[in-house]
Amino acid sequence: MGTVHAKAEQSLTEAPDFGSKNLPRDHAEPHTFKEIDLEAVRARVDRINVDGLARTKNDIVEDCIKELFKAKDFQDVLIKAHRARVKLDELGCFKNISVFIDTSKGDKATPDGLEVTFNVKEFTRLTGGVSTQVGNNEGALLIGMRAPNIFGRGERVQVEYSHGSKRTSNFNLSFIKPFRGSHRPTFTTSVFQSQSEWPSSGYKQLERGLLLDLGFYSTPFLKHNLQWEANIRDLSALSRTTSFEVREQSGLSLKSALKHILSFDLRDDLIFPSAGSLFQVTTEVAGIGGNVGFLKNDFFLQGNYALIEDVVIQGCLSAGLRWRTGTFLGGPLSVRGFEQRGIGPHSDGDALGATAHWSAGLHLFTPLPFRPGRGGFGELFRTHFFVNAGNVGNFRMSKDSDLIETLKANMRLSYGLGVALRLGNMARLEVNYCFPYSFDKGDQTHAGVQFGIGVQFL
Amino acid sequence: MSLIDRITVELGAQEPWPKDVKLFQPYDVEQILLPDNANCLAVQAFLKMCHLEFQLELRANAESMSPTLKVPFIKAGRFVTAELEGIVQFVNGKGISLTDKLDANQKADMRAYMSLLHSVIEVAELYICWVDKETYNEVTSIRNGSIYPWPLNHIQNVIKRHQVIKKLKALSWYNKTLEEVFQEVENCCEALSIRLDGKIYFFVDGPTELDALVFGHLFTILTTPLPRSDLANIVRKYPQLINLVKRIEDEYFKKQIKN
């Protein structure tokens, strides 16, 4: 957050102690500090100024800041001013927001009156840029253009094109409209085209589609996304040696699917969290129109616990169930020590997919040995020890068999150590030395050095 | 022919004709179009002439499954080979050939006539199916779109039509009138009829892939009901060709049904 400045007249300075640490004090009199309870300082916000508004409409700004008038004491003012600032930031209209709190002056000023001023700077009409992006174990060049806040209420249009190192290319044009309301709903509509190659499964695909998304919060941290996606997928065999089972799937298909994503993220950091957990459940049903019908259920749980400062234990659990479509497991982002999609049924070396999977990981992140570059460059790195386990297959449930036994049978296990690197605030790069410990005959293992780049890791 | 193709043929040659050979083509009742049907029938005729066993597999997505994106294609063991020329080469690799007894001149002759069929009859079939409004609306668009759900069927029809028209433009056929197209077909049939010259097959020693290809196209033209029967009427003017088609049908296709 930005800086909250507080200036007050002499009569008030005795009360709050937030500035006192910076005041030069005589060492002989260290006990003249007064313990002040901020909640005891009565305050009332008389006026709020917002400076720097040009095309942003007043109503959405009012929504963000009106809570501030309800503040009763000075601590309340500070907290509510901070919340208002976060809300203004979430509108996505402003480049820079700073807050000033002053005593109110003038004819209508009340005795406890304060005047809060937000200085905002709006985005220009059109911004753009070229950047690099990492995800799904490949690097990509990203060209993007954005027209923020077009109609003055946070609406934006963005265009993105990316070209990846593994011959993937993506194009995306989207329109985003945030709405007013307590559940912070956001409506997104986008058209996209994505082209990708999957050498591990022997095919390439071209997808063109339309996505409608409604995101909202049901409680302050519980986020829902309701999506409808229609896309045309053109799947084709990558080479003459592609297995026939994969070749049989080639051709065009039209998918129309409803998707619900529920996420609950309380982590303190996206890349190297030291506390908090993430919980995500995805359900996708396809077959409302089109000729693709399936049901997908995925679940991901991550918990973090700091043993001592900077030494963090992370546990992950993920599971997925499929009806009439396939799931894959293995690779540097999932069960390490295996090739991408290397676990499970294969035909002529091409991964076929199975109906269910589960995987779990236990990680220990510590700072680099002897902590070079402490507090600076060295904080980008972590030493990483891990044990991964998982299983994929067409698990059949019968009355006699025990569920746990079925899932455990033929379990894959790998362990290893390596170095993890923070890339920006969105991706992680890992270089690990892996030891596949137990695996199946048909699996494609990857013992030794394995390299992974991605956003969500097991 | 690419290196990979050569290797495929070489490797395949080391094994005898497998038992599980399958010929993949689109659904013949509701989906297949005139030119595709002709090519599929030609390959079937060729394999039957070689007395090679195969199973017919009908797949809606046969075209996208094919390694050359054209139908038909065969799967023998792990190998997939598409189109008449490729399949002939594959079969030759197994030591089976219909053209052993032909000399170099006759072989060149045969290839010339085959390329005539490809560049005239096949292109004319494409023209009728995709450029002629009546045929396109009443037959082609319905059959081509039959395997896709709405609205993908309309999108696919437009894309495919665009592709075919692009090809026809490259061959400078798109600007031809129907009459000119029919004239080309008539000239081609004339040439074939003269070459046949009363013989049983095009070459004295027996049927070749040329006979298979002629059979495939002419049989399809004669038996496919279309809003325009002009093509069939042109072929009917050449009794020698009709006889050839009937003979191959009796010899290789009717027998199978009886058995």
Side-chain angles (χ1 to χ4, degrees), chain A residues 11 16-17 19 43 73 90 104 123 130 145 202 210 222 237 250 263 321 324 348 360-361 387 412 429:
Chain A
S11 60
D17 79 336
D73 54 62
E90 275 174 2
S104 85
F123 279 113
V130 181
M145 284 247 275
L210 172 74
L222 200 59
S250 52
S263 51
L321 264 179
R324 305 184 57 188
D348 296 339
V387 182
R412 284 30 167 227
L429 184 150

Side-chain angles (χ1 to χ4, degrees), chain A residues 141-261:
Chain A
L141 181 74
L142 186 83
I143 302 166
M145 284 247 275
R146 219 154 71 95
N149 199 13
I150 351 177
F151 304 121
R153 288 197 173 86
E155 305 86 354
R156 55 189 189 273
V157 172
Q158 43 194 66
V159 189
E160 275 178 359
Y161 174 78
S162 74
H163 193 88
S165 58
K166 286 183 179 166
R167 284 189 224 156
T168 61
S169 72
N170 287 292
F171 170 80
N172 193 320
L173 171 72
S174 44
F175 173 75
I176 299 150
K177 162 89 187 150
F179 288 97
R180 299 158 65 184
S182 55
H183 298 297
R184 287 183 277 162
T186 308
F187 178 72
T188 307
T189 169
S190 57
V191 285
F192 60 91
Q193 171 177 312
S194 80
Q195 197 167 13
S196 56
E197 288 192 6
W198 295 92
S200 50
S201 282
Y203 69 83
K204 59 181 172 190
Q205 68 174 31
L206 174 69
E207 276 187 296
R208 290 191 176 101
L210 172 74
L211 178 80
L212 304 180
D213 174 299
L214 179 70
F216 62 91
Y217 287 84
S218 60
T219 67
F221 295 105
L222 200 59
K223 191 181 183 191
H224 297 261
N225 282 85
L226 276 177
Q227 301 181 333
W228 175 71
E229 183 186 326
N231 79 46
I232 297 171
R233 187 173 69 158
D234 187 359
L235 198 134
S236 51
L238 204 53
S239 74
R240 281 189 102 93
T241 51
T242 296
S243 81
F244 202 76
E245 279 84 352
V246 174
R247 189 177 284 281
E248 274 182 313
Q249 307 293 319
S250 52
L252 284 162
S253 56
L254 177 73
K255 179 177 102 172
S256 156
L258 282 176
K259 197 173 182 178
H260 176 241
I261 306 170

Side-chain angles (χ1 to χ4, degrees), chain A residues 208 232 234-237 240-241 244 247-254 289-291 348, chain B residues 4-5 24 59 61 64-67 73 75 78 80-81 148-152 155-156:
Chain A
R208 290 191 176 101
I232 297 171
D234 187 359
L235 198 134
S236 51
R240 281 189 102 93
T241 51
F244 202 76
R247 189 177 284 281
E248 274 182 313
Q249 307 293 319
S250 52
L252 284 162
S253 56
L254 177 73
N291 57 355
D348 296 339
Chain B
I4 300 276
D5 296 349
F24 288 84
R59 293 288 170 90
N61 62 342
S64 3
M65 280 167 72
S66 162
F73 72 99
K75 173 182 181 281
R78 282 187 53 197
V80 281
T81 314
Y148 304 110
W150 182 91
L152 188 56
I155 300 171
Q156 259 332 91

Side-chain angles (χ1 to χ4, degrees), chain B residues 2-14:
Chain B
S2 75
L3 180 66
I4 300 276
D5 296 349
R6 274 175 202 280
I7 293 169
T8 313
V9 172
E10 289 288 315
L11 284 173
Q14 291 161 7

